Amino acid sequence: MTRAFFLRGAMYARYDLQRDRVDDGYPKPVTAGWSGIDGTGFESGIDTAVSLGNGKLYFFKGGSYLRIDERRLAVDAGAADIGGAWGGFAEAGFGAFLDSAVNWGNGKVYVFRGDSYLRYDIAADRVDDGYPLPVSGNWPGFAETGFTDGIEGGFVTGGGKAYFFRRGRYVRYDVAADRVDDGYPLPVAGNWPGLAEAGFADSVDAVWTPAGAATPVTPVGGRLTPGDHVWYFDGRISMAQEIPRSTWFPGSKGPTDYQGHGKEIFQFVVHSDGTIFRGRPHMRGFPGTYAWLNNNPGNITGRPGGPDYGQYPGKFNWHNFLIFPTRETGYRAIATFLRTASCPKRGPYRDLSILDAFECYAPASDGNNPVKYAQAVAEAAGVPTSTPVGHLDDVQMRLMQDKIAEVEGAVPGDVLTAGSPELPQEIGSLL
């Protein structure tokens, strides 16, 4: 079940989004929810909180933040300065205080302060270029509903809607349409059963959902289940979405700085047929790329609660790549994705020309050359780049899928099993 957390002062409430009400027994003290928080200064109130989908929850207060392990529900790193750890926050004027932070489920976090906001790239560990920007004019419907400043919290649902809260009112935002839905704002009281009784009707300090929470699947044998990935380095393991660079390599200065140990880091992906794929996807040109490890030849990305393309439910690799049980399932997903998914702010891929579609599918901001990519897939399908994706027949689509798989570059790594002598003991013990 998906739950949202509302926090105000020293108390918090857990809200069941499926049953649409506050869970029994709430509110509770913050100290009862997360061990190790007592005495940190964060137990009596915070400014905002956000879960990044890497198994970590972050509380922010003033110019400091606290990191919490979501599996153990315990603080695992003491208070530290925002400006020294969150790339670009201080330069954007967000180093001393935050109003709210919302994980958008696509590798980005939107952070609000006053009447401005910034967009943070989780994988790159920095604020995107061009930020901060004013809320007014960039979030359609916010100005009309009075949500241009002082946003207290929010979260994105699997149904493509986001909810934002401010001074006892809330709005529902349509992610695909990129605007506030009609009929909002509405009062929290009377629309979120149990929040008023819990004392959260007038305002909140923070609202969040655990990002990337997995739907339960049948375990392979223990803690690891099909679709899980594990990073391994020198006897250390991490099930975080990305390499725990700051922990393993203190002093690392960027997302690709492994202090000379990049070749010694491996990723293992558990699959439902009992195999365990091993590779070094973070190292360019090395065996075991993401496209291969994830059985995802198109390197399709997703978000919690997103469409079902046959992937393992709720499982995401670095960069939010989906993870599939078989290569064939991942291959078929390319066509399904291009025929049914939508490009943010542009509309369904099927209505876009091949050129426009690949500017979204493989944006230049991710280091791609979308024009060259579009030309390659269009040539493979025997059509011009101006052809709408929806006009491709099955044969042309398969030719395009083949070229996409070629461009994305699924380089095989090693296929192991639970009894393989090459499987580290630390990982084998979790199977």
Side-chain angles (χ1 to χ4, degrees):
M1 295 183 181
T2 302
R3 289 181 167 86
F5 292 83
F6 293 77
L7 190 149
R8 181 179 184 182
M11 306 296 288
Y12 79 101
R14 192 177 69 191
Y15 196 93
D16 189 316
L17 295 173
Q18 291 186 335
R19 294 193 295 168
D20 194 22
R21 65 178 177 84
V22 171
D23 281 334
D24 295 338
Y26 289 86
K28 295 180 179 181
V30 173
T31 52
W34 298 275
S35 63
I37 199 170
D38 195 19
T40 63
F42 288 70
E43 68 273 22
S44 59
I46 62 174
D47 298 328
T48 190
V50 66
S51 171
L52 295 188
N54 58 357
K56 305 297 181 182
L57 170 66
Y58 296 84
F59 281 1
F60 296 85
K61 184 173 186 176
S64 301
Y65 75 96
L66 195 68
R67 193 180 72 190
I68 296 171
D69 187 297
E70 291 182 294
R71 291 178 182 269
R72 297 187 297 111
L73 299 178
V75 173
D76 70 350
D81 290 338
I82 295 173
W86 294 76
F89 273 51
E91 293 81 353
F94 281 57
F97 174 79
L98 309 176
D99 279 330
S100 58
V102 182
N103 189 331
W104 212 241
N106 61 352
K108 307 290 185 179
V109 175
Y110 288 97
V111 183
F112 298 84
R113 174 180 168 146
D115 59 2
S116 300
Y117 76 101
L118 59 79
R119 190 177 68 194
Y120 177 78
D121 188 293
I122 297 173
D125 191 20
R126 63 175 176 79
V127 174
D128 282 339
D129 295 337
Y131 291 86
L133 291 172
V135 174
S136 181
N138 289 293
W139 290 81
F142 272 31
E144 295 80 354
T145 55
F147 274 63
T148 54
D149 67 349
I151 295 172
E152 297 170 346
F155 61 89
V156 180
T157 71
K161 302 290 185 179
Y163 292 87
F164 291 88
F165 298 80
R166 179 182 184 273
R167 299 178 185 175
R169 301 189 304 164
Y170 75 100
V171 295
R172 190 179 69 192
Y173 197 87
D174 189 296
V175 175
D178 194 24
R179 65 176 177 82
V180 172
D181 282 337
D182 295 336
Y184 291 86
L186 291 173
V188 172
N191 289 293
W192 291 78
L195 282 183
E197 294 81 353
F200 293 79
D202 298 329
S203 67
V204 294
D205 292 333
V207 182
W208 75 93
T209 56
T215 301
V217 296
T218 303
V220 169
R223 291 174 56 190
L224 294 178
T225 61
D228 280 336
H229 72 267
V230 181
W231 294 104
Y232 177 85
F233 167 67
D234 192 28
R236 285 170 276 185
I237 62 173
S238 172
M239 287 176 275
Q241 192 166 2
E242 59 189 85
I243 296 172
R245 185 169 45 81
S246 60
T247 302
W248 286 357
F249 311 108
S252 173
K253 301 186 183 303
T256 61
D257 179 12
Y258 307 115
Q259 298 180 345
H261 297 286
K263 297 178 182 179
E264 303 162 42
I265 303 170
F266 290 86
Q267 186 183 81
F268 296 80
V269 177
V270 179
H271 287 289
S272 55
D273 62 357
T275 59
I276 303 156
F277 288 8
R278 179 178 69 178
R280 284 175 280 188
H282 57 291
M283 298 295 290
R284 186 182 296 275
F286 277 68
T289 59
Y290 284 115
W292 178 80
L293 284 163
N294 301 328
N295 281 324
N296 184 353
N299 274 333
I300 299 170
T301 60
R303 55 180 171 76
D308 180 6
Y309 300 115
Q311 72 271 21
Y312 294 112
K315 302 299 176 74
F316 303 90
N317 210 321
W318 205 358
H319 305 296
N320 287 324
F321 290 136
L322 298 179
I323 308 172
F324 293 89
T326 67
R327 196 265 182 191
E328 180 58 31
T329 305
Y331 177 83
R332 291 197 304 267
I334 300 174
T336 305
F337 180 87
L338 290 172
R339 285 171 168 162
T340 63
S342 290
C343 172
K345 300 189 178 183
R346 291 197 182 191
Y349 279 99
R350 63 177 179 271
D351 296 336
L352 302 177
S353 69
I354 291 174
L355 179 58
D356 289 341
F358 278 83
E359 286 180 347
C360 188
Y361 187 96
S365 59
D366 287 350
N368 300 296
N369 185 330
V371 174
K372 185 176 180 180
Y373 204 145
Q375 291 171 340
V377 297
E379 181 179 344
V383 297
T385 58
S386 58
T387 305
V389 171
H391 288 189
L392 299 173
D393 60 28
D394 289 345
V395 173
Q396 292 168 326
M397 179 59 77
R398 281 196 296 273
L399 292 170
M400 180 181 284
Q401 289 169 259
D402 290 341
K403 179 56 69 171
I404 290 172
E406 178 185 327
V407 173
E408 294 296 333
V411 180
D414 301 310
V415 180
L416 310 177
T417 63
S420 296
E422 299 170 81
L423 187 71
Q425 182 180 355
E426 294 84 357
I427 295 175
S429 65
L430 299 178
L431 297 173

